[in-house]
Amino acid sequence: MRRKILMIFFLVFIFPSLALADEYVLVKGKGIEVCEEYGKNLNSLVLKEYMVCERKINPKFTDFKKPEWQEIDLWKNREFLRKVECFLGLQSTFGDPDKNLQEWEKFLKWRLKDNATTIMIARVDIDNDGKDENVIKYFDGRCPAGKHFGIAILVLNEDKSEIDIKKTTPLLQNLRVINKSLTEGWEFSMYDVFSYKNKIYFDRWSESFDQTGYLKIFMTKSEGGLNVLTEEICRYRYKTEK
């Protein structure tokens, strides 16, 4: 009997405390349905690596969905890759293809072999105007194993040949942009996209400065392509007892 009582005590009191050691605490957006439900989804997973590199969706939360991302062959599309990395301010990080194309391509082969650079693409109505756009996720480095990593989301034009800067700008919710380039400050930030009840949201986890430990949810709305507004809907603080 005593052994049985001890077992019940362990299951009821010890296991829950372990399960609740890590949690995502909603600090902005209380009472907003998508914020409350997304928080429940995060806490049903309770693993930090899901929060850092990408946010998983628990299958039981059926109102949430992820885009159907497809990987781009970057060797065949290396001219497109060059444009993306130039836009993100990485033209000097991996060598300048305009000055030494062979050296850049040699380094690119190593990056692709090491899975250090990846681009995924999907059709997503990222600005909630009723029309799908070509949206890409650019993976810089291997998250979280690498010392340098980041995930940016960008919008392309219809033929997927160029970055649509006008539609991309509202997605770059970086901090250090004053008097600097548009993409300044995206490093060590991991963006992701999801939908909730057919509305599109994107989120941002950052390992940069005072943003470490916070997950922010944004929504971009476009009215006829004229007035575009991006609003921070939710914010969570990652709390751990470890």
Side-chain angles (χ1 to χ4, degrees), residues 49-179:
E49 53 264 34
Y50 287 163
M51 190 174 187
V52 173
C53 304
E54 62 177 327
R55 269 57 69 191
K56 301 290 186 180
I57 299 296
N58 189 322
K60 73 178 184 179
F61 291 90
T62 56
D63 287 326
F64 289 101
K65 289 181 172 50
K66 285 294 190 76
E68 295 182 3
W69 299 102
Q70 301 292 326
E71 186 171 349
I72 293 176
D73 186 328
L74 293 183
W75 181 251
K76 291 182 179 179
N77 295 279
R78 51 192 182 276
E79 174 60 23
F80 167 72
L81 172 65
R82 186 189 67 80
K83 293 178 182 178
V84 171
E85 294 185 334
C86 183
F87 176 77
L88 291 173
L90 297 172
Q91 63 270 36
S92 62
T93 304
F94 307 117
D96 189 341
D98 293 329
K99 294 180 180 180
N100 193 330
L101 180 60
Q102 289 184 335
E103 188 66 23
W104 182 81
E105 289 184 340
K106 180 180 178 181
F107 191 21
L108 175 59
K109 288 181 179 179
W110 175 87
R111 286 196 281 156
L112 299 180
K113 183 178 180 181
D114 196 51
N115 294 319
T117 303
T118 307
I119 293 182
M120 310 290 286
I121 188 168
R123 292 286 290 176
V124 183
D125 182 13
I126 196 67
D127 56 4
N128 292 286
D129 67 347
K131 300 177 182 178
D132 288 345
E133 288 82 30
N134 295 309
V135 177
I136 64 170
K137 285 204 299 183
Y138 171 87
F139 297 77
D140 177 26
R142 290 183 290 113
C143 177
K147 294 181 179 180
H148 180 82
F149 53 84
I151 303 173
I153 51 174
L154 311 172
V155 182
L156 307 182
N157 59 8
E158 277 303 306
D159 66 8
K160 308 175 187 177
S161 62
E162 303 284 346
I163 296 169
D164 189 322
I165 297 178
K166 183 178 179 181
K167 290 192 174 184
T168 295
T169 300
L171 308 182
L172 298 171
Q173 296 298 311
N174 308 320
L175 295 177
R176 296 172 287 137
V177 295
I178 300 176
N179 298 323

